[in-house]
Amino acid sequence: MASSGPQVIVHAPDHRGLREVSVAGRSAGRAWSPRDLRRVLRRAGVPADIDLGHPGQVRWRADPDLWPDRPWRRRAQACLMMLGLLVSGAVLFRVGLTDTLGALTFGGRVMGVVFLLAALVEAVAAVAVLDHWGKRATRYAGQCVLLGVVVVAVTSLMFLILQWEGGYRAGFFALWVALVAWSGWALWEVSRQKVWQGVPHPKGFATGVALSALIGSASVAYSAMYTPYVAPPKVPFMVAFGKPTLNAARTILYVPAHLTFRNEGSISIFVVGTQWSATMWPSAFREKGTGLARWRDELGDGWDTYRHEDFNAPVRLLAAGQITSAGSRLDPGDDFSKQAVIEVPLKDAEQGRVELEATVSFIRADRCKLANSYPHSIEYSWDVDSADRKHVRDAPRWLANPGDDFFRYRSRIYRSSAVMNMTQAPDWAAMWWVIPKWRAGKLFAPGETVPYMQVHIARDPDSREVLSEDEQEPYGMKTRSTWVDQPVALLRRAADTP
């Protein structure tokens, strides 16, 4: 080195503890510590054996022992800042990827892309932390960190509000609380460092931050609150009798049953359950007719009243079944209509009515979906492996009496977006076919039965807490029933008519 003067100058530390290093009048870098100083000098071509204490070789503009950097504190802050950004970025990436590939609506998939972009912003911000808490070689590292922190604050706060309003305190609730708390610390830290200083267009940057916050809020709110009410499903559902036919001995009447169930709208649906049944209601002619008291009771109980017809015998089940399999998807244009033939035994009096009844229950495929396992989730109340089909379990008391047999399908319901699945309590759809046993007061006779179907959404897999109709509305759950009946005499006459 030249003897005319020192070639190395170590300047006083700045507010962060970094000391500027000059070699031959040109900046060689900045150093945190004496070890870091030698590293900077080696990169500048200064011999490794330079004597830092020799005034002829190194000039110190401040105390040579003044190295105020606290590396462990600085690194801990950087690690904590990166941890929050990476955790939030991982959550947004998962949500975004899930919705981009599998959201039930086009808008939901667009929001999935927005979440993926937000995750990318947070990943870039996590990388920028290394430079901003380091020697700040990149000009806008601090601003990148600020943008990432704002995205975390907005999205985690929205997640927390959604889950809090839904009354769900499990799942990811603790994570949202932690991220909101982290966001408060991170915003305070970057504000304390005044990272916005040095931005060439501060108004534009502020607009970008505000726009990021707006997009984050809108994406979460859209995914959580949007439901396409403007396109209600159009699912014609009706039952009708066809032209009956007598057997050769004229003792059995074959009555065709037409069950219409198709999708004429633009919204797909998932079938939760279906049932149809045909029953025989024996009756006799009442010459004088019934009075006001009988009409009042029948109409008050929801029955039709027939003044001169007396239903004087237990009802008999003629046929029953499902219109289509539980869990079937009915897309626009699909037709699950069914034809069945009911055998009606004829008696001398030929009195009574044949009633055809059907019920369907479905949910909108643009609001939620059932698990793929739903069609295979059937469970029985009896031991299917025993010869006598022994009864082994009871349905809930609100649904059936002890001892009544049943079979059940059930599945968790998955909402239209990953945001809702993560922030709302899991709900379960169930379809029960109950086969009641005779008890005093039943309309059917001992040894007979009239099955019925019950479909609902519950908070738990075992249907202990069933949701109200208002709580089921976001899923688009609909249960429709229809029926038709005809006197046996009219069916017999139709069979005799060419």
Side-chain angles (χ1 to χ4, degrees):
M1 301 181 67
S3 60
S4 58
Q7 297 297 307
V8 176
I9 300 176
V10 181
H11 297 266
D14 61 12
H15 67 284
R16 301 176 61 227
L18 275 171
R19 304 189 70 160
E20 184 76 24
V21 181
S22 301
V23 177
R26 303 180 66 178
S27 176
R30 291 177 294 175
W32 294 108
S33 62
R35 176 184 294 181
D36 195 25
L37 173 60
R38 289 191 178 276
R39 188 180 302 114
V40 171
L41 294 176
R42 283 199 304 271
R43 287 200 299 264
V46 177
D49 59 350
I50 183 174
D51 185 359
L52 298 179
H54 195 293
Q57 295 182 335
V58 178
R59 177 178 295 175
W60 296 84
R61 293 288 176 85
D63 187 350
D65 296 325
L66 184 59
W67 298 96
D69 176 46
R70 299 178 182 177
W72 290 109
R73 178 183 178 184
R74 175 170 52 85
R75 291 166 186 166
Q77 288 179 343
C79 288
L80 182 58
M81 187 68 68
M82 289 185 66
L83 179 63
L85 289 167
L86 291 175
V87 169
S88 178
V91 172
L92 294 183
F93 179 79
R94 173 187 170 183
V95 171
L97 186 62
T98 301
D99 282 349
T100 299
L101 299 178
L104 301 183
T105 62
F106 175 75
R109 300 200 176 199
V110 172
M111 291 303 103
V113 174
V114 173
F115 279 121
L116 288 178
L117 293 177
L120 179 61
V121 169
E122 294 184 3
V124 173
V127 175
V129 167
L130 297 175
D131 182 62
H132 185 68
W133 263 261
K135 295 184 179 181
R136 299 184 179 175
T138 304
R139 185 174 182 181
Y140 299 118
Q143 290 74 31
C144 288
V145 174
L146 174 61
L147 186 60
V149 170
V150 169
V151 173
V152 177
V154 171
T155 55
S156 59
L157 185 60
M158 287 298 298
F159 286 144
L160 180 61
I161 292 174
L162 285 172
Q163 192 157 344
W164 181 274
E165 288 296 322
Y168 184 44
R169 302 294 184 267
F172 291 89
F173 185 79
L175 177 60
W176 311 142
V177 173
L179 285 176
V180 169
W182 175 92
S183 300
W185 167 80
L187 287 172
W188 173 81
E189 184 64 32
V190 295
S191 299
R192 185 178 63 85
Q193 297 180 19
K194 300 180 180 180
V195 297
W196 57 83
Q197 292 183 347
V199 178
H201 304 287
K203 292 184 178 180
F205 179 76
T207 302
V209 172
L211 184 61
S212 299
L214 180 62
I215 290 175
S217 302
S219 62
V220 175
Y222 182 92
S223 298
M225 302 174 186
Y226 173 76
T227 47
Y229 290 100
V230 295
K234 297 179 181 179
V235 185
F237 175 55
M238 62 192 74
V239 296
F241 289 116
K243 180 176 173 55
T245 303
L246 284 165
N247 67 342
R250 307 181 71 82
T251 58
I252 298 177
L253 193 63
Y254 298 101
V255 183
H258 305 302
L259 309 167
T260 303
F261 182 35
R262 60 178 179 267
N263 189 347
E264 294 183 353
S266 59
I267 303 298
S268 299
I269 63 174
F270 285 106
V271 177
V272 183
T274 61
Q275 183 192 54
W276 71 272
S277 63
T279 51
M280 176 69 181
W281 294 77
S283 64
F285 179 71
R286 184 189 296 270
E287 184 175 355
K288 293 184 178 180
T290 56
L292 177 61
R294 179 71 174 268
W295 298 353
R296 179 191 59 198
D297 291 341
E298 290 179 345
L299 294 175
D301 291 338
W303 296 88
D304 295 331
T305 184
Y306 299 94
R307 184 179 181 187
H308 293 280
E309 191 170 10
D310 184 19
F311 297 96
N312 56 358
V315 65
R316 295 176 58 193
L317 177 67
L318 299 177
Q322 299 185 57
I323 301 174
T324 187
S325 301
S328 299
R329 181 185 175 103
L330 191 62
D331 292 319
D334 287 349
D335 191 341
F336 285 175
S337 299
K338 183 173 181 175
Q339 308 293 326
V341 177
I342 306 165
E343 294 185 353
V344 181
L346 296 177
K347 295 185 178 180
D348 295 337
E350 296 186 1
Q351 291 296 312
R353 289 175 177 264
V354 177
E355 182 180 85
L356 179 62
E357 183 179 10
T359 302
V360 298
S361 184
F362 58 85
I363 56 176
R364 295 177 58 133
D366 59 343
R367 298 190 190 178
C368 58
K369 66 178 181 178
L370 302 173
N372 295 333
S373 61
Y374 182 72
H376 313 291
S377 64
I378 187 168
E379 297 176 315
Y380 301 92
S381 64
W382 58 87
D383 183 0
V384 295
D385 297 324
S386 64
D388 58 352
R389 299 298 190 266
K390 180 181 178 181
H391 182 85
V392 293
R393 70 178 73 175
D394 290 332
R397 292 297 297 268
W398 62 265
L399 178 64
N401 292 313
D404 287 348
D405 279 322
F406 67 87
F407 60 85
R408 173 186 64 181
Y409 294 86
R410 66 176 176 179
S411 162
R412 179 179 172 180
I413 299 180
Y414 294 92
R415 294 171 172 84
S416 60
S417 70
V419 174
M420 296 301 291
N421 287 326
M422 294 177 67
T423 59
Q424 302 298 303
D427 291 330
W428 297 75
M431 186 274 280
W432 303 74
W433 259 59
V434 180
I435 308 171
K437 293 183 177 181
W438 180 85
R439 289 177 177 83
K442 291 291 186 181
L443 294 175
F444 52 87
E448 292 279 344
T449 188
V450 176
Y452 60 89
M453 184 182 74
Q454 174 71 37
V455 176
H456 58 258
I457 298 175
R459 292 291 187 198
D460 60 281
D462 296 322
S463 302
R464 292 187 298 268
E465 182 184 355
V466 177
L467 274 64
S468 65
E469 291 186 5
D470 290 340
E471 291 172 320
Q472 297 185 39
E473 173 59 26
Y475 297 111
M477 169 77 85
K478 297 291 183 182
T479 299
R480 297 177 179 174
S481 297
T482 186
W483 64 275
V484 64
D485 67 12
Q486 284 289 325
V488 175
L490 288 182
L491 294 173
R492 174 70 180 269
R493 179 174 295 181
D496 290 335
T497 303

